Amino acid sequence: DGVLVKDAQALETLEKVDTVVVDKTGTLTEGKPRVVDVVVEGDTDPAELLGLAAAVEGSSEHPLARAIVNAAKELGASVKSAENFQSTTGGGVSAQVEERTVRVGKLAFLAEQGITPSDQLKADAESAQSEGRTTVFVASNDRLLGFISIADPIKTSSTETIRRLHERGLRVVMLTGDSESTAQS
């Protein structure tokens, strides 16, 4: 109902499909991520961490970046301007914010720069990921400040849709840039 097929061969090919690959964000989830927690290392001020992350993410249209910027605004965090923005695909971003090099992204991205978390911060991040949250780490001048925990609720229709695809004998594969534990959750 409501589907237009321009080529009959496409329907014939569709009959042979045994696997459906779907993106997570905006397909299985609502696509409206929001910051639910800021976890800091040592005596870092959560508002400062959020403000630095928002400065670096300010020009990005990525849903996680928008969530960080919105949370900083809601908290009233000071968001400075960023310069010399650089992006590493699948890893993170960096920029200069008031003479500081600020990096925002995955833990592996920061580890490549020699930046590692304490055991406690790593455990806190793993706990957030096991609850289905995305963790975005923030470092300033090679010092890890902490991470931002972001949630994107699963659409109410996703479970039923996947169940129906399984009933038809289709295998469903989810693709995501999130950690394995977040994806599993």
Side-chain angles (χ1 to χ4, degrees):
D1 188 15
V3 176
L4 174 65
V5 179
K6 293 172 69 174
D7 181 356
Q9 185 176 357
L11 281 177
E12 291 173 15
T13 302
L14 190 59
E15 182 181 52
K16 299 173 188 167
V17 169
D18 64 356
T19 303
V20 177
V21 180
V22 295
D23 183 31
K24 180 182 74 94
T25 304
T27 303
L28 297 178
T29 67
E30 293 177 2
K32 298 175 184 172
R34 60 183 172 75
V35 172
V36 292
D37 199 8
V38 177
V39 180
V40 297
E41 185 89 281
D43 62 353
T44 300
D45 176 16
E48 178 189 18
L49 181 151
L50 206 49
L52 289 171
V56 175
E57 298 281 17
S59 60
S60 175
E61 291 303 317
H62 190 282
L64 296 181
R66 301 281 20 112
I68 291 169
V69 170
N70 291 340
K73 286 179 184 174
E74 288 172 14
L75 187 65
S78 174
V79 179
K80 313 283 193 252
S81 61
E83 299 174 340
N84 302 323
F85 179 87
Q86 294 182 340
S87 177
T88 302
T89 303
V93 292
S94 65
Q96 294 298 121
V97 181
E98 290 190 329
E99 313 280 324
R100 297 194 276 189
T101 300
V102 178
R103 294 179 178 89
V104 180
K106 294 181 178 182
L107 196 53
F109 169 70
L110 298 178
E112 290 172 4
Q113 313 300 317
I115 303 168
T116 57
S118 66
D119 290 342
Q120 182 60 55
L121 191 71
K122 191 171 183 181
D124 290 344
E126 289 170 356
S127 176
Q129 291 167 350
S130 72
E131 294 174 13
R133 296 179 182 167
T134 300
T135 53
V136 178
F137 291 83
V138 182
S140 172
N141 287 342
D142 300 329
R143 180 176 160 255
L144 188 59
L145 301 179
F147 69 87
I148 300 166
S149 181
I150 301 172
D152 186 8
I154 296 172
K155 286 181 181 175
T156 55
S157 61
S158 292
T159 303
E160 176 63 15
T161 301
I162 291 171
R163 185 190 65 72
R164 291 175 68 190
L165 290 170
H166 283 161
E167 282 178 354
R168 291 190 168 118
L170 293 169
R171 182 171 74 121
V172 180
V173 176
M174 178 181 69
L175 293 181
T176 179
D178 269 322
S179 71
E180 186 174 348
S181 58
T182 299
Q184 287 295 335
S185 179

XYZ file of all heavy atoms in Angstrom, residues 11-90:
575
model
N 11.360 -5.968 -8.161
C 10.496 -6.871 -7.394
C 11.012 -8.301 -7.456
O 10.987 -9.023 -6.461
C 9.063 -6.813 -7.914
C 8.220 -5.632 -7.465
C 6.846 -5.679 -8.115
C 8.094 -5.598 -5.963
N 11.483 -8.707 -8.627
C 12.031 -10.057 -8.763
C 13.274 -10.223 -7.898
O 13.459 -11.253 -7.255
C 12.352 -10.346 -10.231
C 11.107 -10.471 -11.093
C 11.429 -10.584 -12.575
O 12.595 -10.841 -12.937
O 10.500 -10.418 -13.388
N 14.109 -9.217 -7.871
C 15.323 -9.255 -7.055
C 14.973 -9.258 -5.574
O 15.581 -9.973 -4.779
C 16.238 -8.046 -7.374
O 16.547 -8.080 -8.768
C 17.513 -8.079 -6.557
N 13.975 -8.486 -5.199
C 13.554 -8.389 -3.805
C 13.131 -9.747 -3.245
O 13.342 -10.032 -2.067
C 12.412 -7.377 -3.677
C 11.986 -6.963 -2.288
C 13.158 -6.344 -1.528
C 10.850 -5.961 -2.356
N 12.582 -10.603 -4.095
C 12.153 -11.920 -3.654
C 13.337 -12.765 -3.158
O 13.183 -13.641 -2.315
C 11.454 -12.639 -4.810
C 10.924 -13.999 -4.442
C 10.262 -14.678 -5.619
O 10.887 -14.766 -6.697
O 9.112 -15.106 -5.451
N 14.531 -12.471 -3.658
C 15.729 -13.238 -3.299
C 16.449 -12.688 -2.065
O 17.379 -13.300 -1.570
C 16.704 -13.259 -4.479
C 16.127 -13.922 -5.716
C 17.043 -13.759 -6.891
C 16.351 -14.252 -8.162
N 17.060 -13.834 -9.359
N 16.013 -11.546 -1.578
C 16.663 -10.915 -0.422
C 16.451 -11.769 0.827
O 15.343 -12.227 1.096
C 16.103 -9.487 -0.202
C 16.565 -8.920 1.136
C 16.519 -8.579 -1.338
N 17.542 -12.009 1.575
C 17.420 -12.770 2.822
C 17.923 -11.987 4.028
O 17.807 -12.430 5.161
C 18.148 -14.116 2.718
C 19.651 -13.965 2.533
O 20.141 -12.823 2.413
O 20.341 -14.995 2.495
N 18.481 -10.794 3.772
C 19.032 -9.973 4.851
C 18.642 -8.513 4.640
O 18.739 -7.999 3.525
C 20.577 -10.079 4.886
O 20.941 -11.452 5.029
C 21.162 -9.282 6.034
N 18.194 -7.881 5.710
C 17.876 -6.456 5.686
C 18.872 -5.761 6.606
O 19.030 -6.155 7.767
C 16.431 -6.192 6.181
C 16.146 -4.705 6.222
C 15.431 -6.905 5.297
N 19.545 -4.732 6.093
C 20.516 -3.974 6.879
C 19.917 -2.608 7.170
O 19.483 -1.910 6.255
C 21.856 -3.838 6.108
C 22.863 -3.054 6.929
C 22.409 -5.206 5.741
N 19.893 -2.253 8.465
C 19.302 -0.972 8.869
C 20.292 -0.166 9.704
O 21.113 -0.718 10.434
C 17.999 -1.169 9.681
C 16.921 -1.798 8.828
C 18.229 -2.006 10.910
N 20.194 1.134 9.577
C 20.963 2.037 10.424
C 20.253 2.112 11.771
O 19.060 1.840 11.868
C 21.016 3.413 9.759
C 21.863 4.418 10.534
O 22.837 3.996 11.180
O 21.542 5.612 10.487
N 20.985 2.469 12.816
C 20.365 2.555 14.141
C 19.696 3.913 14.340
O 18.485 4.005 14.540
C 21.405 2.321 15.246
C 20.797 2.397 16.656
C 21.833 2.220 17.734
C 22.700 3.414 17.886
N 22.365 4.403 18.847
N 20.472 4.980 14.267
C 19.980 6.313 14.603
C 18.955 6.804 13.583
O 19.254 6.929 12.405
C 21.146 7.316 14.705
O 22.086 6.830 15.661
C 20.655 8.691 15.136
N 17.753 7.047 14.066
C 16.693 7.570 13.222
C 15.920 6.503 12.472
O 14.888 6.783 11.888
N 16.428 5.269 12.482
C 15.719 4.166 11.845
C 15.105 3.282 12.921
O 13.895 3.097 12.970
C 16.663 3.344 10.942
O 17.235 4.218 9.968
C 15.914 2.225 10.243
N 15.939 2.754 13.791
C 15.450 1.960 14.922
C 15.186 2.836 16.141
O 14.369 2.498 16.985
C 16.446 0.864 15.276
C 16.697 -0.184 14.183
C 17.739 -1.184 14.649
C 15.417 -0.883 13.797
N 15.923 3.951 16.227
C 15.707 4.882 17.342
C 14.960 6.106 16.829
O 14.789 6.288 15.625
C 17.047 5.328 17.966
O 17.763 6.120 17.006
C 17.883 4.137 18.403
N 14.548 6.950 17.754
C 13.784 8.139 17.381
C 14.617 9.155 16.600
O 14.074 10.018 15.934
C 13.197 8.798 18.632
C 12.134 7.938 19.292
C 11.589 8.553 20.570
O 11.992 9.673 20.939
O 10.754 7.892 21.209
N 15.936 9.059 16.703
C 16.792 10.006 15.992
C 16.822 11.368 16.661
O 17.153 12.371 16.038
N 16.454 11.395 17.949
C 16.447 12.645 18.714
C 17.263 12.435 19.987
O 16.713 12.415 21.094
C 15.021 13.054 19.054
C 14.169 13.330 17.831
C 12.739 13.602 18.210
C 11.901 13.775 16.962
N 10.468 13.853 17.246
N 18.579 12.255 19.834
C 19.396 12.001 21.021
C 19.410 13.201 21.962
O 19.274 14.347 21.523
C 20.787 11.725 20.453
C 20.787 12.273 19.079
C 19.366 12.285 18.608
N 19.564 12.895 23.262
C 19.651 13.971 24.258
C 20.674 13.577 25.316
O 20.840 12.396 25.641
C 18.293 14.248 24.881
C 17.687 13.074 25.588
C 16.300 13.351 26.135
N 15.693 12.139 26.627
C 16.016 11.527 27.773
N 16.941 12.037 28.549
N 15.416 10.411 28.132
N 21.338 14.570 25.844
C 22.318 14.345 26.903
C 21.564 13.981 28.175
O 20.637 14.684 28.573
C 23.201 15.591 27.123
C 24.081 15.430 28.359
C 24.060 15.857 25.889
N 21.974 12.875 28.803
C 21.322 12.453 30.043
C 22.268 12.515 31.237
O 21.816 12.461 32.384
C 20.712 11.035 29.930
C 19.539 11.044 28.964
C 21.741 10.011 29.511
N 23.581 12.658 30.981
C 24.527 12.714 32.095
C 25.874 13.242 31.602
O 26.225 13.080 30.433
C 24.716 11.312 32.685
C 25.293 11.325 34.096
O 25.416 12.409 34.701
O 25.623 10.235 34.598
N 26.590 13.878 32.504
C 27.970 14.291 32.260
C 28.783 13.723 33.406
O 28.524 14.024 34.572
C 28.118 15.834 32.206
C 29.579 16.225 32.025
C 27.260 16.419 31.088
N 29.750 12.864 33.081
C 30.573 12.206 34.093
C 31.989 12.732 33.949
O 32.573 12.687 32.867
C 30.547 10.667 33.915
C 31.398 9.985 34.962
C 29.108 10.155 33.962
N 32.522 13.259 35.058
C 33.819 13.939 34.987
C 34.937 13.153 35.659
O 34.695 12.307 36.523
C 33.738 15.347 35.614
C 32.763 16.218 34.838
C 33.370 15.280 37.080
N 36.131 13.464 35.233
C 37.353 12.905 35.809
C 37.876 13.923 36.825
O 37.981 15.114 36.517
C 38.376 12.682 34.691
C 39.654 11.995 35.099
C 39.551 10.478 34.997
O 38.958 9.888 35.922
O 40.045 9.906 34.033
N 38.134 13.479 38.041
C 38.704 14.366 39.060
C 37.792 15.517 39.416
O 36.587 15.353 39.593
N 38.371 16.728 39.461
C 37.612 17.910 39.888
C 37.102 18.751 38.721
O 36.797 19.927 38.876
C 38.478 18.774 40.817
C 39.735 19.291 40.127
O 40.009 18.877 38.974
O 40.451 20.104 40.742
N 36.992 18.155 37.558
C 36.490 18.869 36.379
C 35.064 19.347 36.631
O 34.245 18.626 37.195
C 36.511 17.940 35.142
O 37.847 17.521 34.906
C 35.975 18.637 33.907
N 34.766 20.563 36.188
C 33.422 21.122 36.287
C 32.590 20.599 35.110
O 32.972 20.802 33.953
C 33.518 22.649 36.245
C 32.169 23.333 36.234
O 31.153 22.684 36.552
O 32.124 24.538 35.889
N 31.467 19.922 35.382
C 30.638 19.389 34.287
C 30.203 20.455 33.276
O 30.157 20.187 32.076
C 29.430 18.799 35.010
C 29.916 18.494 36.385
C 30.926 19.561 36.696
N 29.903 21.655 33.752
C 29.483 22.724 32.843
C 30.635 23.136 31.931
O 30.422 23.437 30.748
C 28.973 23.924 33.639
N 31.860 23.143 32.461
C 33.019 23.479 31.629
C 33.220 22.417 30.555
O 33.448 22.727 29.387
C 34.287 23.598 32.479
C 35.526 23.907 31.640
C 36.827 23.823 32.418
O 36.860 23.211 33.493
O 37.828 24.365 31.909
N 33.123 21.139 30.945
C 33.269 20.045 29.985
C 32.238 20.184 28.868
O 32.568 20.111 27.684
C 33.107 18.701 30.700
C 33.242 17.435 29.850
C 33.757 16.280 30.703
C 31.951 17.039 29.196
N 30.995 20.412 29.239
C 29.917 20.536 28.260
C 30.128 21.761 27.367
O 29.913 21.703 26.149
C 28.581 20.616 28.985
C 27.331 20.158 28.253
C 27.492 18.795 27.611
C 26.150 20.146 29.211
N 30.580 22.854 27.948
C 30.839 24.076 27.174
C 31.954 23.899 26.162
O 31.853 24.365 25.020
N 33.029 23.212 26.560
C 34.139 22.955 25.632
C 33.696 22.033 24.501
O 34.023 22.265 23.334
C 35.328 22.347 26.379
C 36.091 23.283 27.311
C 37.100 22.506 28.146
C 36.778 24.393 26.516
N 32.947 20.986 24.857
C 32.453 20.060 23.831
C 31.524 20.788 22.861
O 31.612 20.600 21.644
C 31.735 18.885 24.484
N 30.657 21.644 23.380
C 29.720 22.391 22.536
C 30.463 23.366 21.622
O 30.057 23.573 20.473
C 28.704 23.134 23.397
N 31.561 23.939 22.103
C 32.348 24.851 21.269
C 32.892 24.106 20.049
O 32.822 24.598 18.923
C 33.494 25.449 22.083
N 33.412 22.899 20.282
C 33.990 22.117 19.187
C 32.893 21.589 18.258
O 33.056 21.551 17.046
C 34.841 20.948 19.749
C 35.344 20.056 18.631
C 36.012 21.490 20.558
N 31.764 21.198 18.818
C 30.677 20.594 18.040
C 29.710 21.623 17.451
O 28.795 21.260 16.715
C 29.874 19.628 18.926
C 30.670 18.459 19.463
C 30.863 17.345 18.442
O 30.678 17.594 17.228
O 31.199 16.241 18.856
N 29.914 22.899 17.764
C 28.958 23.951 17.418
C 28.546 24.046 15.970
O 27.408 24.390 15.668
N 29.449 23.741 15.040
C 29.113 23.905 13.624
C 28.650 22.605 12.977
O 28.303 22.584 11.806
C 30.329 24.450 12.865
O 31.413 23.548 12.977
N 28.627 21.527 13.737
C 28.238 20.233 13.181
C 26.719 20.057 13.183
O 26.047 20.514 14.098
C 28.874 19.100 13.993
O 28.408 17.846 13.541
N 26.221 19.374 12.174
C 24.790 19.059 12.103
C 24.517 17.625 12.560
O 23.380 17.163 12.510
C 24.270 19.262 10.673
C 24.237 20.719 10.251
C 23.395 21.590 11.175
O 22.300 21.166 11.575
O 23.844 22.702 11.517
N 25.549 16.911 13.003
C 25.380 15.531 13.454
C 24.437 15.522 14.658
O 24.525 16.387 15.525
C 26.739 14.941 13.839
C 26.705 13.471 14.098
N 26.227 12.938 15.273
C 27.064 12.426 13.330
C 26.303 11.628 15.220
N 26.809 11.290 14.041
N 23.521 14.545 14.732
C 22.549 14.516 15.838
C 23.197 14.515 17.230
O 22.672 15.156 18.145
C 21.769 13.222 15.603
C 21.904 12.960 14.139
C 23.258 13.481 13.752
N 24.327 13.821 17.407
C 24.984 13.817 18.720
C 25.562 15.190 19.034
O 25.503 15.655 20.172
C 26.078 12.750 18.779
C 25.629 11.301 18.642
C 26.821 10.362 18.746
C 24.574 10.944 19.674
N 26.121 15.843 18.024
C 26.663 17.189 18.217
C 25.563 18.154 18.614
O 25.718 18.980 19.518
C 27.360 17.662 16.940
N 24.417 18.054 17.944
C 23.282 18.927 18.264
C 22.813 18.699 19.697
O 22.444 19.632 20.402
C 22.106 18.690 17.291
C 22.439 18.934 15.841
C 22.483 20.373 15.311
N 22.642 21.488 16.186
C 23.730 22.269 16.221
N 24.758 22.032 15.481
N 23.782 23.306 17.025
N 22.819 17.431 20.135
C 22.405 17.120 21.509
C 23.344 17.775 22.511
O 22.901 18.309 23.535
C 22.374 15.605 21.720
N 24.636 17.758 22.229
C 25.628 18.365 23.125
C 25.442 19.879 23.174
O 25.429 20.484 24.256
C 27.057 17.988 22.677
C 27.298 16.492 22.931
C 28.102 18.851 23.384
C 28.563 15.941 22.293
N 25.275 20.509 22.024
C 25.087 21.965 21.970
C 23.801 22.355 22.702
O 23.786 23.315 23.491
C 25.081 22.463 20.508
C 24.657 23.919 20.420
C 26.461 22.263 19.877
N 22.732 21.613 22.475
C 21.457 21.917 23.148
C 21.580 21.775 24.663
O 21.052 22.600 25.411
C 20.343 21.020 22.625
C 19.963 21.345 21.194
O 20.235 22.432 20.686
N 19.350 20.383 20.521
N 22.276 20.735 25.119
C 22.444 20.532 26.560
C 23.258 21.661 27.186
O 22.959 22.119 28.291
C 23.110 19.183 26.827
N 24.281 22.114 26.475
C 25.107 23.226 26.985
C 24.262 24.490 27.126
O 24.362 25.203 28.127
C 26.297 23.464 26.056
N 23.414 24.744 26.142
C 22.535 25.919 26.199
C 21.570 25.811 27.377
O 21.369 26.770 28.112
C 21.749 26.061 24.889
C 22.575 26.554 23.728
C 21.734 26.635 22.463
C 22.576 27.044 21.269
N 21.813 26.984 20.000
N 20.956 24.624 27.536
C 19.997 24.411 28.622
C 20.643 24.597 29.988
O 20.019 25.110 30.916
C 19.381 23.016 28.525
C 18.411 22.846 27.379
C 17.969 21.405 27.182
O 18.206 20.568 28.082
O 17.385 21.116 26.119
N 21.906 24.167 30.106
C 22.622 24.270 31.375
C 23.162 25.672 31.609
O 23.534 26.031 32.721
C 23.779 23.248 31.400
C 24.540 23.076 32.686
C 23.632 22.497 33.776
C 25.740 22.156 32.477
N 23.181 26.481 30.541
C 23.746 27.827 30.644
C 25.261 27.806 30.672
O 25.899 28.733 31.191
N 25.852 26.755 30.103
C 27.316 26.634 30.067
C 27.891 27.678 29.116
O 27.286 28.016 28.098
C 27.727 25.238 29.619
N 29.069 28.164 29.451
C 29.767 29.123 28.603
C 30.330 28.388 27.391
O 31.136 27.471 27.534
C 30.894 29.772 29.401
O 31.659 30.605 28.566
N 29.889 28.795 26.191
C 30.352 28.167 24.954
C 31.197 29.178 24.193
O 30.691 30.184 23.718
C 29.161 27.689 24.085
C 29.669 27.066 22.793
C 28.290 26.717 24.858
N 32.487 28.907 24.131
C 33.425 29.797 23.438
C 33.452 29.457 21.946
O 32.883 28.479 21.506
C 34.832 29.602 24.021
C 34.903 29.590 25.534
C 34.792 30.971 26.096
C 35.169 31.003 27.558
N 34.143 31.178 28.495
N 34.182 30.267 21.192
C 34.319 29.969 19.769
C 35.514 29.030 19.572
O 36.469 29.040 20.349
C 34.512 31.257 18.960
O 35.680 31.923 19.381
N 35.424 28.225 18.526
C 36.462 27.243 18.226
C 37.111 27.579 16.885
O 36.465 28.101 15.980
C 35.864 25.847 18.185
N 38.403 27.259 16.778
C 39.147 27.491 15.540
C 39.917 26.225 15.175
O 40.131 25.355 16.014
C 40.136 28.649 15.730
C 39.473 29.971 16.088
C 40.495 31.047 16.399
O 41.655 30.713 16.716
O 40.119 32.224 16.336
N 40.354 26.161 13.930
C 41.168 25.036 13.442
C 40.475 23.691 13.659
O 41.089 22.731 14.120
C 42.560 25.020 14.085
C 43.316 26.311 13.835
O 43.212 26.896 12.760
N 44.052 26.764 14.837
N 39.207 23.640 13.318
C 38.408 22.425 13.470
C 38.964 21.325 12.572
O 39.257 21.544 11.400
C 36.955 22.733 13.093
C 36.032 21.553 13.190
C 35.414 21.240 14.390
C 35.773 20.763 12.081
C 34.545 20.159 14.485
C 34.904 19.682 12.164
C 34.295 19.381 13.368
N 39.104 20.118 13.136
C 39.532 18.947 12.371
C 38.655 17.769 12.745
O 38.310 17.591 13.912
C 40.993 18.607 12.658
C 41.964 19.666 12.187
C 43.415 19.268 12.439
O 43.688 18.421 13.263
N 44.314 19.879 11.711
N 38.325 16.968 11.745
C 37.467 15.813 11.969
C 38.181 14.541 11.531
O 38.830 14.513 10.493
C 36.169 15.977 11.169
O 35.364 14.837 11.310
N 38.059 13.497 12.348
C 38.582 12.178 12.014
C 37.380 11.256 11.870
O 36.693 10.972 12.858
C 39.528 11.658 13.122
O 40.590 12.596 13.290
C 40.076 10.292 12.776
N 37.123 10.806 10.650
C 35.952 9.981 10.374
C 35.906 8.764 11.294
O 36.879 8.036 11.426
C 35.959 9.517 8.900
O 36.001 10.675 8.072
C 34.714 8.709 8.584
N 34.758 8.595 11.953
C 34.562 7.456 12.835
C 35.276 7.565 14.165
O 35.240 6.633 14.960
